[in-house]
Amino acid sequence: PSKLETEKITRSAPYQNQIKVICGELGIECVDLADSYIESGRRAYFRQGAHWNANGHAIAADAMKKYLSENTELVFREDDASN
């Protein structure tokens, strides 16, 4: 990301904190991707707008893959659907 983009992505943006609180109250897992975007060093958004570009999707996918591999109890298994 550019320096400006990196400055916009913070680890403590108010909306991120609010979402974490709400998820915690509802017992919902919440994965904050801010660190992954900051650490990637790659442009993750289209220049115009706030939508992820291909890098942004790849960064999110890698972060989620890592999170789910570290939290295997959260992974849905096809054989679980029949129970």
Side-chain angles (χ1 to χ4, degrees):
S2 69
K3 182 176 180 177
L4 180 61
E5 286 175 317
T6 302
E7 290 171 354
K8 286 182 181 179
I9 301 172
T10 67
R11 291 176 175 87
S12 61
Y15 72 88
Q16 288 166 271
N17 291 333
Q18 291 171 355
I19 290 171
K20 287 178 190 177
V21 168
I22 292 167
C23 288
E25 290 171 352
L26 297 173
I28 298 170
E29 291 290 323
C30 179
V31 180
D32 186 347
L33 299 175
D35 287 340
S36 298
Y37 283 104
I38 292 167
E39 293 167 5
S40 76
R42 297 185 286 166
R43 179 178 296 282
Y45 295 89
F46 288 107
R47 291 189 188 276
Q48 299 297 321
H51 296 285
W52 295 342
N53 61 18
N55 286 334
H57 285 279
I59 294 164
D62 289 344
M64 292 306 300
K65 179 180 176 183
K66 181 178 186 273
Y67 179 81
L68 291 172
S69 69
E70 293 171 353
N71 297 277
T72 57
E73 72 280 3
L74 301 174
V75 178
F76 176 78
R77 292 178 180 79
E78 196 169 320
D79 58 324
D80 292 341
S82 62
N83 294 331

